Amino acid sequence: EEAEPNIKAYLDLKIKVAGQEQYPDSPLPGFEVTVEKGRGAMEYGLDIDRQDLKHLQILKVVDGAVKRYNEQVRLPRQVIQSDFILSVNGVTGDAMEMLKQFQ
């Protein structure tokens, strides 16, 4: 059965290639990130979708504070496309209020 328009589903897949005994480690299920724009910075560098009005989903990471953060940490701790933001400065459960925290 086909999903309705504007419905998206995301899968977390692990792929094991021939000769590999174990599946690779999964990314962390959740982690906390502290990012500051810093002086003179204009943007965090995130394209964000309000998803279900409770959470924020990262559509794209572009030039900005988050990209600079990603350059300093290894992949499991990087903020990447399709990640969900569950809380911003203690605000949770309200996507619009979380977005306001980025200003």
PDB file of all heavy atoms in Angstrom, residues 38-57:
ATOM      1  N   GLY A  38      29.000  32.272  18.032  1.00  0.00           N
ATOM      2  CA  GLY A  38      30.221  33.056  18.185  1.00  0.00           C
ATOM      3  C   GLY A  38      30.048  34.465  17.638  1.00  0.00           C
ATOM      4  O   GLY A  38      29.075  34.783  16.969  1.00  0.00           O
ATOM      5  N   ARG A  39      31.010  35.303  17.922  1.00  0.00           N
ATOM      6  CA  ARG A  39      30.939  36.703  17.480  1.00  0.00           C
ATOM      7  C   ARG A  39      30.965  36.808  15.966  1.00  0.00           C
ATOM      8  O   ARG A  39      31.772  36.178  15.309  1.00  0.00           O
ATOM      9  CB  ARG A  39      32.108  37.483  18.039  1.00  0.00           C
ATOM     10  CG  ARG A  39      31.936  37.714  19.484  1.00  0.00           C
ATOM     11  CD  ARG A  39      32.912  38.727  19.960  1.00  0.00           C
ATOM     12  NE  ARG A  39      32.506  38.997  21.326  1.00  0.00           N
ATOM     13  CZ  ARG A  39      32.828  40.052  21.988  1.00  0.00           C
ATOM     14  NH1 ARG A  39      33.585  40.949  21.436  1.00  0.00           N
ATOM     15  NH2 ARG A  39      32.415  40.222  23.210  1.00  0.00           N
ATOM     16  N   GLY A  40      30.084  37.628  15.450  1.00  0.00           N
ATOM     17  CA  GLY A  40      30.062  37.899  14.023  1.00  0.00           C
ATOM     18  C   GLY A  40      29.395  36.823  13.189  1.00  0.00           C
ATOM     19  O   GLY A  40      29.140  37.032  12.022  1.00  0.00           O
ATOM     20  N   ALA A  41      29.113  35.652  13.763  1.00  0.00           N
ATOM     21  CA  ALA A  41      28.454  34.594  12.992  1.00  0.00           C
ATOM     22  C   ALA A  41      26.978  34.923  12.845  1.00  0.00           C
ATOM     23  O   ALA A  41      26.342  35.392  13.778  1.00  0.00           O
ATOM     24  CB  ALA A  41      28.628  33.249  13.687  1.00  0.00           C
ATOM     25  N   MET A  42      26.453  34.692  11.680  1.00  0.00           N
ATOM     26  CA  MET A  42      25.060  35.030  11.420  1.00  0.00           C
ATOM     27  C   MET A  42      24.136  33.818  11.505  1.00  0.00           C
ATOM     28  O   MET A  42      22.963  33.950  11.778  1.00  0.00           O
ATOM     29  CB  MET A  42      24.928  35.659  10.030  1.00  0.00           C
ATOM     30  CG  MET A  42      25.690  36.967   9.883  1.00  0.00           C
ATOM     31  SD  MET A  42      25.120  38.243  11.001  1.00  0.00           S
ATOM     32  CE  MET A  42      23.506  38.577  10.345  1.00  0.00           C
ATOM     33  N   GLU A  43      24.646  32.623  11.252  1.00  0.00           N
ATOM     34  CA  GLU A  43      23.783  31.455  11.117  1.00  0.00           C
ATOM     35  C   GLU A  43      24.340  30.232  11.837  1.00  0.00           C
ATOM     36  O   GLU A  43      25.542  30.079  11.985  1.00  0.00           O
ATOM     37  CB  GLU A  43      23.625  31.103   9.628  1.00  0.00           C
ATOM     38  CG  GLU A  43      23.063  32.199   8.769  1.00  0.00           C
ATOM     39  CD  GLU A  43      21.594  32.475   9.025  1.00  0.00           C
ATOM     40  OE1 GLU A  43      20.884  31.559   9.479  1.00  0.00           O
ATOM     41  OE2 GLU A  43      21.163  33.606   8.780  1.00  0.00           O
ATOM     42  N   TYR A  44      23.418  29.341  12.223  1.00  0.00           N
ATOM     43  CA  TYR A  44      23.824  28.024  12.704  1.00  0.00           C
ATOM     44  C   TYR A  44      24.125  27.113  11.522  1.00  0.00           C
ATOM     45  O   TYR A  44      24.873  26.169  11.634  1.00  0.00           O
ATOM     46  CB  TYR A  44      22.739  27.411  13.590  1.00  0.00           C
ATOM     47  CG  TYR A  44      22.718  28.018  14.969  1.00  0.00           C
ATOM     48  CD1 TYR A  44      21.827  29.027  15.286  1.00  0.00           C
ATOM     49  CD2 TYR A  44      23.602  27.589  15.938  1.00  0.00           C
ATOM     50  CE1 TYR A  44      21.816  29.593  16.550  1.00  0.00           C
ATOM     51  CE2 TYR A  44      23.596  28.143  17.209  1.00  0.00           C
ATOM     52  CZ  TYR A  44      22.698  29.154  17.497  1.00  0.00           C
ATOM     53  OH  TYR A  44      22.698  29.716  18.742  1.00  0.00           O
ATOM     54  N   GLY A  45      23.501  27.380  10.377  1.00  0.00           N
ATOM     55  CA  GLY A  45      23.770  26.594   9.184  1.00  0.00           C
ATOM     56  C   GLY A  45      22.948  25.327   9.088  1.00  0.00           C
ATOM     57  O   GLY A  45      23.438  24.298   8.638  1.00  0.00           O
ATOM     58  N   LEU A  46      21.696  25.404   9.501  1.00  0.00           N
ATOM     59  CA  LEU A  46      20.810  24.244   9.422  1.00  0.00           C
ATOM     60  C   LEU A  46      19.554  24.577   8.619  1.00  0.00           C
ATOM     61  O   LEU A  46      18.937  25.611   8.849  1.00  0.00           O
ATOM     62  CB  LEU A  46      20.369  23.806  10.825  1.00  0.00           C
ATOM     63  CG  LEU A  46      21.432  23.272  11.764  1.00  0.00           C
ATOM     64  CD1 LEU A  46      20.834  23.013  13.142  1.00  0.00           C
ATOM     65  CD2 LEU A  46      22.066  22.007  11.200  1.00  0.00           C
ATOM     66  N   ASP A  47      19.210  23.698   7.691  1.00  0.00           N
ATOM     67  CA  ASP A  47      17.896  23.747   7.068  1.00  0.00           C
ATOM     68  C   ASP A  47      17.057  22.762   7.869  1.00  0.00           C
ATOM     69  O   ASP A  47      17.409  21.577   7.978  1.00  0.00           O
ATOM     70  CB  ASP A  47      17.948  23.314   5.603  1.00  0.00           C
ATOM     71  CG  ASP A  47      18.620  24.345   4.710  1.00  0.00           C
ATOM     72  OD1 ASP A  47      18.757  25.511   5.146  1.00  0.00           O
ATOM     73  OD2 ASP A  47      19.001  23.986   3.590  1.00  0.00           O
ATOM     74  N   ILE A  48      15.965  23.251   8.455  1.00  0.00           N
ATOM     75  CA  ILE A  48      15.194  22.453   9.414  1.00  0.00           C
ATOM     76  C   ILE A  48      13.737  22.352   8.987  1.00  0.00           C
ATOM     77  O   ILE A  48      13.144  23.315   8.517  1.00  0.00           O
ATOM     78  CB  ILE A  48      15.276  23.093  10.819  1.00  0.00           C
ATOM     79  CG1 ILE A  48      16.712  23.082  11.319  1.00  0.00           C
ATOM     80  CG2 ILE A  48      14.368  22.368  11.809  1.00  0.00           C
ATOM     81  CD1 ILE A  48      16.908  23.784  12.642  1.00  0.00           C
ATOM     82  N   ASP A  49      13.162  21.171   9.208  1.00  0.00           N
ATOM     83  CA  ASP A  49      11.735  20.934   8.986  1.00  0.00           C
ATOM     84  C   ASP A  49      11.080  20.787  10.353  1.00  0.00           C
ATOM     85  O   ASP A  49      11.635  20.144  11.244  1.00  0.00           O
ATOM     86  CB  ASP A  49      11.543  19.657   8.166  1.00  0.00           C
ATOM     87  CG  ASP A  49      10.083  19.349   7.876  1.00  0.00           C
ATOM     88  OD1 ASP A  49       9.259  20.282   7.872  1.00  0.00           O
ATOM     89  OD2 ASP A  49       9.767  18.172   7.655  1.00  0.00           O
ATOM     90  N   ARG A  50       9.900  21.375  10.512  1.00  0.00           N
ATOM     91  CA  ARG A  50       9.198  21.291  11.801  1.00  0.00           C
ATOM     92  C   ARG A  50       8.522  19.948  11.996  1.00  0.00           C
ATOM     93  O   ARG A  50       7.931  19.686  13.040  1.00  0.00           O
ATOM     94  CB  ARG A  50       8.168  22.403  11.906  1.00  0.00           C
ATOM     95  CG  ARG A  50       8.794  23.758  12.011  1.00  0.00           C
ATOM     96  CD  ARG A  50       7.738  24.799  12.144  1.00  0.00           C
ATOM     97  NE  ARG A  50       6.783  24.664  11.054  1.00  0.00           N
ATOM     98  CZ  ARG A  50       6.402  25.631  10.253  1.00  0.00           C
ATOM     99  NH1 ARG A  50       6.869  26.829  10.417  1.00  0.00           N
ATOM    100  NH2 ARG A  50       5.543  25.419   9.287  1.00  0.00           N
ATOM    101  N   GLN A  51       8.578  19.106  11.013  1.00  0.00           N
ATOM    102  CA  GLN A  51       8.095  17.723  11.062  1.00  0.00           C
ATOM    103  C   GLN A  51       6.677  17.625  11.605  1.00  0.00           C
ATOM    104  O   GLN A  51       5.739  17.941  10.918  1.00  0.00           O
ATOM    105  CB  GLN A  51       9.067  16.869  11.881  1.00  0.00           C
ATOM    106  CG  GLN A  51       8.910  15.400  11.723  1.00  0.00           C
ATOM    107  CD  GLN A  51       9.246  14.902  10.338  1.00  0.00           C
ATOM    108  OE1 GLN A  51       9.743  15.604   9.487  1.00  0.00           O
ATOM    109  NE2 GLN A  51       8.936  13.666  10.081  1.00  0.00           N
ATOM    110  N   ASP A  52       6.515  17.224  12.823  1.00  0.00           N
ATOM    111  CA  ASP A  52       5.191  16.971  13.395  1.00  0.00           C
ATOM    112  C   ASP A  52       4.775  18.039  14.414  1.00  0.00           C
ATOM    113  O   ASP A  52       3.918  17.805  15.239  1.00  0.00           O
ATOM    114  CB  ASP A  52       5.159  15.591  14.050  1.00  0.00           C
ATOM    115  CG  ASP A  52       6.182  15.459  15.168  1.00  0.00           C
ATOM    116  OD1 ASP A  52       6.904  16.438  15.443  1.00  0.00           O
ATOM    117  OD2 ASP A  52       6.263  14.376  15.767  1.00  0.00           O
ATOM    118  N   LEU A  53       5.408  19.174  14.363  1.00  0.00           N
ATOM    119  CA  LEU A  53       5.188  20.295  15.280  1.00  0.00           C
ATOM    120  C   LEU A  53       5.695  20.033  16.692  1.00  0.00           C
ATOM    121  O   LEU A  53       5.587  20.885  17.554  1.00  0.00           O
ATOM    122  CB  LEU A  53       3.718  20.722  15.306  1.00  0.00           C
ATOM    123  CG  LEU A  53       3.145  21.149  13.958  1.00  0.00           C
ATOM    124  CD1 LEU A  53       1.672  21.533  14.116  1.00  0.00           C
ATOM    125  CD2 LEU A  53       3.929  22.300  13.357  1.00  0.00           C
ATOM    126  N   LYS A  54       6.257  18.851  16.934  1.00  0.00           N
ATOM    127  CA  LYS A  54       6.843  18.540  18.236  1.00  0.00           C
ATOM    128  C   LYS A  54       8.360  18.448  18.162  1.00  0.00           C
ATOM    129  O   LYS A  54       9.047  18.681  19.143  1.00  0.00           O
ATOM    130  CB  LYS A  54       6.299  17.211  18.763  1.00  0.00           C
ATOM    131  CG  LYS A  54       4.841  17.254  19.120  1.00  0.00           C
ATOM    132  CD  LYS A  54       4.395  15.931  19.690  1.00  0.00           C
ATOM    133  CE  LYS A  54       2.922  15.982  20.038  1.00  0.00           C
ATOM    134  NZ  LYS A  54       2.457  14.721  20.599  1.00  0.00           N
ATOM    135  N   HIS A  55       8.875  18.055  17.004  1.00  0.00           N
ATOM    136  CA  HIS A  55      10.305  17.843  16.828  1.00  0.00           C
ATOM    137  C   HIS A  55      10.790  18.623  15.615  1.00  0.00           C
ATOM    138  O   HIS A  55      10.007  19.007  14.759  1.00  0.00           O
ATOM    139  CB  HIS A  55      10.610  16.355  16.605  1.00  0.00           C
ATOM    140  CG  HIS A  55      10.041  15.482  17.665  1.00  0.00           C
ATOM    141  ND1 HIS A  55       8.876  14.775  17.494  1.00  0.00           N
ATOM    142  CD2 HIS A  55      10.453  15.227  18.922  1.00  0.00           C
ATOM    143  CE1 HIS A  55       8.603  14.102  18.600  1.00  0.00           C
ATOM    144  NE2 HIS A  55       9.541  14.368  19.479  1.00  0.00           N
ATOM    145  N   LEU A  56      12.094  18.804  15.543  1.00  0.00           N
ATOM    146  CA  LEU A  56      12.717  19.413  14.380  1.00  0.00           C
ATOM    147  C   LEU A  56      13.556  18.343  13.691  1.00  0.00           C
ATOM    148  O   LEU A  56      14.213  17.544  14.365  1.00  0.00           O
ATOM    149  CB  LEU A  56      13.624  20.576  14.797  1.00  0.00           C
ATOM    150  CG  LEU A  56      12.960  21.701  15.581  1.00  0.00           C
ATOM    151  CD1 LEU A  56      14.007  22.706  16.042  1.00  0.00           C
ATOM    152  CD2 LEU A  56      11.893  22.381  14.747  1.00  0.00           C
ATOM    153  N   GLN A  57      13.527  18.330  12.367  1.00  0.00           N
ATOM    154  CA  GLN A  57      14.360  17.392  11.628  1.00  0.00           C
ATOM    155  C   GLN A  57      15.329  18.173  10.756  1.00  0.00           C
ATOM    156  O   GLN A  57      14.938  19.139  10.091  1.00  0.00           O
ATOM    157  CB  GLN A  57      13.531  16.465  10.757  1.00  0.00           C
ATOM    158  CG  GLN A  57      14.401  15.423  10.079  1.00  0.00           C
ATOM    159  CD  GLN A  57      13.611  14.441   9.263  1.00  0.00           C
ATOM    160  OE1 GLN A  57      12.492  14.712   8.860  1.00  0.00           O
ATOM    161  NE2 GLN A  57      14.196  13.293   9.010  1.00  0.00           N
TER     162      GLN A  57
END
